[in-house]
Amino acid sequence: MDMKILAAGAGVPSVWGPADKSFLGTSTTSASRVYFTGHRGIVSEVFYPVLDTVNTVDLQFLVGDTAKTFVDEEKRQDYTVTQPDKRSMRWQATTTNSGHNWRITKTVFTDPGRNALIQRVKFDALNGRNVTQFNLYLLHNPAMDNSGAGDTSRTVTAGTRTMLVASENSRFSALAVSRAWEAGTGGLPMVSSGFVGETDGWTDLLGGTSDKTMSWRNDLASGGNVAQMGWVDLGTSAVTSVSFDVVLAFGATQNEATTTANATLGSNLATLQTTYDSGWKTYTNGLNNQGGTADDQYYLAAMSLKTIQDKSNGAMIAGMGTPWGESSGDANNGGYHLVWPRDLYKFAGALVTAGDTASGTSVVNYLFNTLQQTSDCGASEYNAPGCPQGYSRAGRFPQNAWISGWQYWQGTQMDEQAMPIILAWRLGPSVYNPLWPKIKKTADYIVNVGPWTQQERWEENSGYSPSTIAAEIAGLVCAATIARANGDTASAARYLAAADYWQQSVDRWTFTTTGLHDNDDDEDGRYYIRMNVAKRANMGTGPQIYNPVSGPDAALTITHGNGGGTHDQRYIIDGGFLELVRMGVKRPDDPSIVATLPEYDKILMRTIPGKGDAWFRYNYDGYGERIGGGSYDGLTGRGRLWPIFTAERGMFTIARTGVGSDGIPFLNTVKAFSTPQGFIPEQVWSQPTNVTGWNVDLPTGATAGTPTGSMSPLNWAMGEYISLLASIRAGKVVDIPSVVCGRYNACVVPPVAGEVGVSINVTAHTVVGQHVYVTGNTAALGNWNTDLGVPVAIVPVAPDSTSYPVWKNRVNLPAGSTVQYKYYRKNADGSVTWENLPGGGNRTMSTPGTGTLTRNDTVTW
């Protein structure tokens, strides 16, 4: 049992921890850069010093008896995980094996002032046993600097403590306990480093020839997939419980890590716990309680989102883990702990809704000051030799990136270009005005490249996507508002001209009238498809350059990623069309929106008994476990149900009815899909079903409506819970950009002080491709600029009729003023025809000092 130094080795290939998390957290302080997760009752990935860098796969106890008849792995036992304080990200995990007469209770949090994870542990001997009848081992699997391979582990003496130190590059961790380690031969502490699956502690205790007690003591294991183990001395007193503390500290050097471990263990840990809790209570006390309707899950969602905001620069990651991590290794070192601008927009916006505008502001500044690209390099996506970060264009946001801003994948998703602009607009002039030069670069990029996208929101296909186009339109309208605030009316006019044309054309581009789902009475072949996969025409000099080569009725084929096969584009449906409403581009009663709902629900919605309705992403989705439950492999999977679509549908329902309480059943369903801790997963299991010939099973041992192995919590889903609850309380969808829905007659924007609302009703006959506008001598009407004028719209008045030839909108104008105005139409080629007024003059209206005004006009051309 002498100490040994192992030759350099590898160990079995490293894998990441499971993605279904039972707890996660960090301190609210900037002094602590440690972020932790838990799977079942044990610590899983720990991130340091930034949220994209894993340093630990798992940290757990192994429990044996002194008679050497068993060794139990903590993570395989019955467990409960709770928040002792619902306003703190401190967790209590209790793991029990009553058959083997033991229980472990841990309180998990971080040192608010240091880079250290703390576990306050209580080991109980049950059923008349005492602690002298047990052997307790602490097993740690490091994955230093975001890599399971190439680590080094060694035994180190620091002060009076023996610690286990792991390292790779400039990342060091130090594992220490407040009790002594069990003494071995010569009084040396029983701690050991080894290679996983070969010479590690688990193999020592549970390997094929093991005697179920620790025998190996290796001082050093270098250059492989290492694991550390120490035998905790429980003492000789026949007591029924022992309490002690475990600290996992980090640093840029070995000395920094060990010094931090000693400092934390030498502190009053009860005081550190109180300080940790106080930071979270201060944070939650500053949130919007939504008129008292905010529940515990709302606060958990907000705290979870705050937890995944990096303290170095404000970035926020999609999820603290790797989907199906237990079958994924170093080749997938990004997982979901990367920045996606789309996800970031969704949950940063949710924090703004929750009252945390400071986090939203730091996100916007991160997006434009760190993530936005500043130069052109490479021929096209995934074709950028000689470009250090891969393909780039000035003003472009990468598909996803490390927290530093360094690009990970090289796709371009046009909704991700628009969403940072929308978030900046939402936070107001103090945020967006200083960023205007950078916002302009992105808006110019959208106009030059869109509406076609190299990838849509599911990151698999190129073409014309309703959800992507919705974001692009909203982004350009917001950019136009920011441009006008900064005196750039030329850019504003350019952005609005494009946005209007795209808004007026989205049906022509993505709404099929010859759809293939028309065999049932409530399906008529008229619906939005997931994507029109045609290329952009790029012909001419007018708006026709944005048109696709062919429309949504063309029999083009779309090939799905993840083994979904090749299908006629008209056969594939998703819920992206609802983003047209969420972004303010379409009214919720728009005939095309309403026409798509029956197909969407019949094909993709499934009801989980006792829980509620959920939707698949799209038919033939392969992003999920394989038939039988095997981990996703990218080739033969089956996508399952996504709770975020339940939240999206709840918000659409509120938008459609204007009744907040109509969203409550959807909120309750999302809660029903959550874990016992309140985390909302990316996907939940469905019952066995057939989706247009695509069989989806319920594997043995799985329960419908519970999380799959993809990711839990999904931060996007946590944000949607906040947004839905707030929308229920408000009686409207709280994050629809008002400047967008107001422009397209999709909402009523209340006038501010000094304004009155004016309803415009104008009778005007047109032909297909022509659209009516109004402009005038005030900024709200565009100051006679025909690209800044206000569009008026045909609105539905019954399921099968519209207001035509009456065009409608509402605009807020200066109160108590005389306003000159005039109507014009934009033709399909972008040219303008003014109305024919006697003498060629203008119309005049006098706005009241208070109240409202309605104008009923008739136009001749």
Side-chain angles (χ1 to χ4, degrees):
M1 294 175 63
D2 293 336
M3 297 294 263
K4 297 179 180 179
I5 296 176
L6 297 179
V12 300
S14 176
V15 295
W16 304 112
D20 51 326
K21 304 305 182 185
S22 52
F23 56 90
L24 53 88
T26 188
S27 169
T28 58
T29 62
S30 60
S32 176
R33 301 293 177 92
V34 174
Y35 314 79
F36 64 89
T37 68
H39 168 67
R40 295 179 60 84
I42 71 166
V43 169
S44 53
E45 282 97 341
V46 181
F47 299 80
Y48 161 86
V50 287
L51 267 163
D52 60 19
T53 305
V54 179
N55 292 277
T56 288
V57 172
D58 58 55
L59 176 61
Q60 65 170 313
F61 287 101
L62 304 179
V63 183
D65 65 333
T66 52
K68 303 179 183 180
T69 65
F70 71 85
V71 173
D72 295 330
E73 295 180 74
E74 184 188 6
K75 68 181 177 183
R76 297 183 182 275
Q77 314 308 313
D78 293 336
Y79 76 100
T80 60
V81 173
T82 60
Q83 287 172 280
D85 186 327
K86 292 294 187 179
R87 300 296 179 267
S88 173
M89 294 301 274
R90 172 171 56 89
W91 298 88
Q92 181 171 292
T94 301
T95 310
T96 306
N97 188 326
S98 56
H100 283 165
N101 308 302
W102 62 265
R103 178 176 62 231
I104 297 173
T105 304
K106 298 177 296 193
T107 298
V108 188
F109 59 101
T110 61
D111 185 333
R114 303 179 185 92
N115 292 317
L117 173 68
I118 298 168
Q119 293 187 86
R120 310 212 72 186
V121 183
K122 182 171 181 276
F123 179 82
D124 289 305
L126 308 177
N127 305 321
R129 306 307 200 270
N130 66 72
V131 299
T132 66
Q133 296 170 290
F134 293 90
N135 295 330
L136 185 64
Y137 308 97
L138 184 60
L139 180 67
H140 179 220
N141 182 6
M144 302 306 297
D145 204 19
N146 214 34
S147 167
D151 291 345
T152 293
S153 176
R154 56 169 49 89
T155 301
V156 171
T157 300
T160 60
R161 291 189 175 91
T162 298
M163 303 183 190
L164 288 161
V165 171
S167 63
E168 184 172 352
N169 301 324
S170 60
R171 301 283 183 266
F172 290 79
S173 68
L175 180 65
V177 296
S178 60
R179 294 186 68 86
W181 301 111
E182 186 80 19
T185 300
L188 295 175
M190 291 297 294
V191 292
S192 185
S193 300
F195 297 114
V196 173
E198 297 173 357
T199 53
D200 64 312
W202 186 94
T203 304
D204 187 5
L205 294 180
L206 293 167
T209 59
S210 171
D211 62 357
K212 296 184 174 59
T213 189
M214 184 177 180
S215 303
W216 301 340
R217 281 180 35 251
N218 305 310
D219 184 51
L220 174 68
S222 179
N225 178 18
V226 302
Q228 304 170 326
M229 192 170 79
W231 185 349
V232 180
D233 186 352
L234 297 179
T236 58
S237 176
V239 296
T240 59
S241 68
V242 169
S243 295
F244 59 96
D245 300 304
V246 176
V247 166
L248 181 63
F250 297 90
T253 65
Q254 175 176 299
N255 182 65
E256 183 180 341
T258 57
T259 299
T260 298
N262 274 325
T264 297
L265 278 173
S267 300
N268 185 321
L269 298 190
T271 300
L272 295 185
Q273 176 179 307
T274 299
T275 303
Y276 181 91
D277 287 346
S278 295
W280 280 112
K281 289 179 182 178
T282 298
Y283 178 75
T284 55
N285 286 340
L287 297 178
N288 185 337
N289 70 359
Q290 306 300 333
T293 65
D295 58 8
D296 287 341
Q297 190 156 353
Y298 169 94
Y299 284 102
L300 174 63
M303 290 189 291
S304 297
L305 295 181
K306 187 62 178 174
T307 292
I308 56 91
Q309 181 168 39
D310 193 84
K311 299 169 187 178
S312 67
N313 59 14
M316 299 175 76
I317 59 172
M320 290 180 73
T322 300
W324 304 283
E326 62 272 36
S327 61
S328 185
D330 285 359
N332 181 10
N333 64 350
Y336 275 9
H337 46 97
L338 298 165
V339 178
W340 271 265
R342 173 181 46 259
D343 296 51
L344 184 50
Y345 163 80
K346 291 287 187 179
F347 43 68
L351 282 184
V352 174
T353 295
D356 182 4
T357 57
S359 289
T361 298
S362 65
V363 163
V364 170
N365 284 307
Y366 166 79
L367 283 164
F368 285 99
N369 293 328
T370 299
L371 196 58
Q372 186 193 58
Q373 295 175 335
T374 58
S375 62
D376 296 345
C377 195
S380 64
E381 291 85 353
Y382 296 96
N383 180 15
C387 302
Q389 292 196 41
Y391 176 73
S392 68
R393 290 293 183 267
R396 172 183 176 268
F397 290 96
Q399 175 183 357
N400 56 9
W402 299 105
I403 282 170
S404 65
W406 192 273
Q407 185 170 216
Y408 189 70
W409 292 333
Q410 295 185 44
T412 299
Q413 300 173 9
M414 294 305 293
D415 59 344
E416 293 190 325
Q417 315 309 310
M419 289 172 171
I421 300 174
I422 303 169
L423 184 60
W425 168 83
R426 186 180 181 190
L427 286 160
S430 65
V431 174
Y432 64 62
N433 281 340
L435 294 170
W436 163 237
K438 296 181 178 182
I439 292 172
K440 182 181 186 302
K441 289 181 183 294
T442 299
D444 288 344
Y445 180 74
I446 295 171
V447 172
N448 293 336
V449 176
W452 183 89
T453 185
Q454 195 257 340
Q455 292 179 356
E456 39 73 84
R457 70 173 177 168
W458 303 132
E459 306 191 289
E460 295 169 359
N461 297 99
S462 62
Y464 289 72
S465 153
S467 64
T468 299
I469 294 171
E472 291 175 291
I473 294 167
L476 288 179
V477 173
C478 290
T481 303
I482 298 169
R484 294 176 75 173
N486 285 272
D488 190 347
T489 56
S491 290
R494 183 174 181 236
Y495 303 154
L496 289 179
D500 289 352
Y501 188 76
W502 299 356
Q503 193 269 347
Q504 294 154 4
S505 302
V506 64
D507 282 13
R508 182 165 54 87
W509 294 339
T510 64
F511 184 86
T512 184
T513 59
T514 61
L516 304 178
H517 301 292
D518 58 357
N519 296 322
D520 297 318
D521 291 340
D522 60 349
E523 296 179 343
D524 57 6
R526 299 179 65 255
Y527 48 82
Y528 286 105
I529 59 177
R530 176 188 166 198
M531 290 202 77
N532 173 2
V533 298
K535 294 289 188 179
R536 200 175 95 159
N538 284 318
M539 295 176 62
T541 58
Q544 61 269 23
I545 65 171
Y546 301 122
N547 292 335
V549 172
S550 57
D553 292 333
L556 301 181
T557 56
I558 179 172
T559 299
H560 295 312
N562 309 309
T566 300
H567 309 276
D568 189 307
Q569 65 179 357
R570 296 169 296 172
Y571 203 61
I572 309 303
I573 286 182
D574 81 337
F577 71 100
L578 294 177
E579 286 290 279
L580 292 164
V581 176
R582 183 74 172 271
M583 288 293 181
V585 172
K586 289 270 192 177
R587 298 167 60 93
D589 58 355
D590 182 274
S592 298
I593 298 290
V594 174
T596 308
L597 291 171
E599 284 85 357
Y600 176 53
D601 288 347
K602 180 168 286 293
I603 294 169
L604 298 180
M605 187 187 79
R606 297 294 183 273
T607 300
I608 305 299
K611 292 182 182 288
D613 298 335
W615 284 258
F616 293 102
R617 287 201 306 176
Y618 54 83
N619 43 331
Y620 296 99
D621 180 14
Y623 185 60
E625 279 89 347
R626 291 169 286 165
I627 295 292
S631 291
Y632 165 75
D633 63 1
L635 299 173
T636 59
R638 294 292 188 274
R640 266 66 180 196
L641 301 169
W642 290 54
I644 57 170
F645 302 136
T646 302
E648 285 185 355
R649 188 55 173 272
M651 281 178 275
F652 169 77
T653 300
I654 294 170
R656 191 175 185 185
T657 67
V659 178
S661 60
D662 286 349
I664 292 176
F666 299 91
L667 188 80
N668 290 337
T669 297
V670 173
K671 292 178 74 169
F673 290 143
S674 303
T675 69
Q677 295 76 35
F679 294 132
I680 306 168
E682 178 183 74
Q683 299 182 47
V684 296
W685 297 108
S686 71
Q687 293 173 313
T689 189
N690 184 292
V691 184
T692 62
W694 189 243
N695 289 319
V696 179
D697 71 331
L698 180 63
T700 301
T703 302
T706 64
T708 72
S710 56
M711 176 57 65
S712 180
L714 181 70
N715 293 321
W716 182 353
M718 299 297 278
E720 290 291 74
Y721 186 88
I722 292 172
S723 300
L724 177 55
L725 185 145
S727 297
I728 290 170
R729 187 242 174 170
K732 64 178 183 179
V733 182
V734 294
D735 57 4
I736 292 179
S738 61
V739 70
V740 182
C741 63
R743 181 169 184 80
Y744 298 121
N745 195 26
C747 67
V748 174
V749 180
V752 299
E755 293 180 343
V756 293
V758 178
S759 295
I760 303 291
N761 303 306
V762 53
T763 301
H765 291 273
T766 59
V767 298
V768 173
Q770 294 176 336
H771 296 271
V772 179
Y773 285 74
V774 60
T775 187
N777 66 342
T778 183
L781 294 177
N783 283 324
W784 301 114
N785 186 322
T786 55
D787 282 330
L788 297 177
V790 176
V792 285
I794 301 300
V795 300
V797 295
D800 298 314
S801 63
T802 69
S803 64
Y804 184 82
V806 179
W807 303 69
K808 300 172 177 284
N809 209 335
R810 187 180 186 276
V811 63
N812 295 323
L813 297 177
S817 301
T818 298
V819 177
Q820 293 186 35
Y821 68 106
K822 196 170 185 177
Y823 297 100
Y824 60 100
R825 72 184 183 210
K826 279 194 173 183
N827 304 307
D829 62 359
S831 63
V832 167
T833 302
W834 290 95
E835 66 171 315
N836 185 18
L837 290 173
N842 301 319
R843 297 177 184 268
T844 301
M845 74 173 88
S846 297
T847 62
T850 59
T852 61
L853 175 68
T854 298
R855 299 298 298 175
N856 296 304
D857 297 323
T858 300
V859 164
T860 57
W861 304 110

